[in-house]
């Protein structure tokens, strides 16, 4: 497996994997382009992908997917604080807090440490950008609550639970279709913070 920085050449595969894992409409070219820009600061890219080393060369020749995971991360000071954030409970100032947007691994390869390696790559990048901590909204209803468990194992601390965080009724522009709830999502987002040493 290879962990490397995300590039625009990877966008189509990332969109396909993201929509397959999280639900249709989770990512599109416009949203991923915007996310990509928010993760680059001081010429340092905080977004990473995992590629299957054996299939990466073959996939290029056969036009098959070789991306098996990705991590999207916003640089500190380059993302919007919304009503689902609790900065008063954060251990660092807003301008020192990055945002861990998404960690996605293809279903058949989960539990092998790929997500942790992607997170560590992003942490190294955001620290180089100047961040002192990162916040994320973890999907509590992920299979076996694996999202919260993995982030807790990495050192994340729960700040607050946000029921119905991704509900379409609260965001008229959102056309996300939850893989569990459909177009009326009531999944809970666990706002968690990871301080960097």
């Amino acid at each position: 497996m290879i962990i490397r920085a995300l590039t625009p050449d990877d966008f189509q595969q990332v969109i396909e994997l993201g929509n397959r894992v999280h639900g249709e409409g989770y990512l599109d070219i416009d949203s991923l382009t915007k996310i990509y820009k928010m993760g680059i600061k001081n010429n340092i890219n905080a977004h990473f992908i995992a590629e299957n080393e054996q299939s990466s060369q073959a996939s290029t020749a056969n036009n098959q997917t070789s991306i098996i995971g990705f991590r999207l991360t916003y640089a500190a000071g380059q993302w919007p604080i919304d009503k689902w954030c609790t900065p008063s409970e954060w251990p660092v100032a807003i301008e020192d807090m990055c945002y861990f947007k998404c960690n996605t691994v293809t279903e058949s390869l989960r539990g092998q440490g790929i997500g942790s390696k992607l997170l560590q790559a992003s942490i190294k990048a955001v620290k180089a950008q100047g961040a002192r901590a990162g916040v994320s909204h973890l999907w509590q209803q992920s299979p076996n609550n694996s999202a919260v468990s993995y982030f807790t194992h990495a050192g994340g601390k729960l700040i607050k639970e946000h029921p119905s965080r991704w509900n379409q009724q609260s965001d008229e522009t959102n056309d996300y279709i939850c893989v569990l709830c459909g177009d009326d999502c009531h999944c809970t987002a666990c706002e968690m913070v990871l301080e960097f040493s």
Side-chain angles (χ1 to χ4, degrees):
M1 177 187 57
I2 299 169
I3 303 288
R4 65 168 174 82
L6 171 71
T7 71
D9 289 340
D10 304 314
F11 282 10
Q12 191 56 47
Q13 289 185 54
V14 166
I15 291 166
E16 290 170 7
L17 179 58
N19 290 351
R20 188 168 58 249
V21 170
H22 299 289
E24 199 58 42
Y26 184 74
L27 288 172
D28 60 31
I29 193 67
D30 292 335
S31 65
L32 186 53
T33 300
K34 183 178 178 184
I35 290 167
Y36 182 73
K37 290 176 183 175
M38 289 195 289
I40 298 174
K41 185 175 183 179
N42 302 329
N43 292 317
I44 300 167
N45 185 349
H47 308 297
F48 289 88
I49 64 162
E51 277 186 306
N52 186 330
E53 190 171 10
Q54 294 155 340
S55 70
S56 73
Q57 292 176 346
S59 67
T60 304
N62 300 327
N63 202 19
Q64 296 173 343
T65 301
S66 64
I67 293 177
I68 57 175
F70 64 88
R71 152 69 58 202
L72 304 176
T73 304
Y74 300 152
Q78 295 189 178
W79 59 280
I81 308 295
D82 61 21
K83 67 181 181 179
W84 308 104
C85 295
T86 317
S88 62
E89 301 295 322
W90 294 350
V92 301
I94 291 172
E95 60 271 13
D96 295 325
M97 183 71 79
C98 75
Y99 186 80
F100 295 115
K101 163 79 174 128
C102 172
N103 197 45
T104 303
V105 176
T106 194
E107 186 175 0
S108 63
L109 297 173
R110 291 180 195 150
Q112 298 182 25
I114 297 168
S116 295
K117 289 176 181 168
L118 288 164
L119 176 62
Q120 292 308 313
S122 280
I123 289 172
K124 183 177 179 182
V126 294
K127 284 172 73 172
Q129 291 174 344
R132 296 177 46 224
V135 65
S136 187
H137 290 91
L138 286 298
W139 184 32
Q140 191 176 63
Q141 284 72 27
S142 64
N144 301 315
N145 197 15
S146 59
V148 172
S149 296
Y150 128 84
F151 207 74
T152 301
H153 182 71
K157 306 277 190 258
L158 180 65
I159 299 296
K160 187 174 183 179
E161 291 186 4
H162 301 279
S164 299
R165 159 68 176 90
W166 296 286
N167 189 279
Q168 291 73 14
Q169 310 309 316
S170 64
D171 181 4
E172 297 77 28
T173 64
N174 192 348
D175 57 0
Y176 165 64
I177 308 296
C178 176
V179 294
L180 297 179
C181 309
D183 64 1
D184 189 22
C185 181
H186 292 282
C187 292
T188 297
C190 292
E191 181 183 359
M192 299 183 74
V193 168
L194 179 61
E195 279 191 89
F196 309 144
S197 53

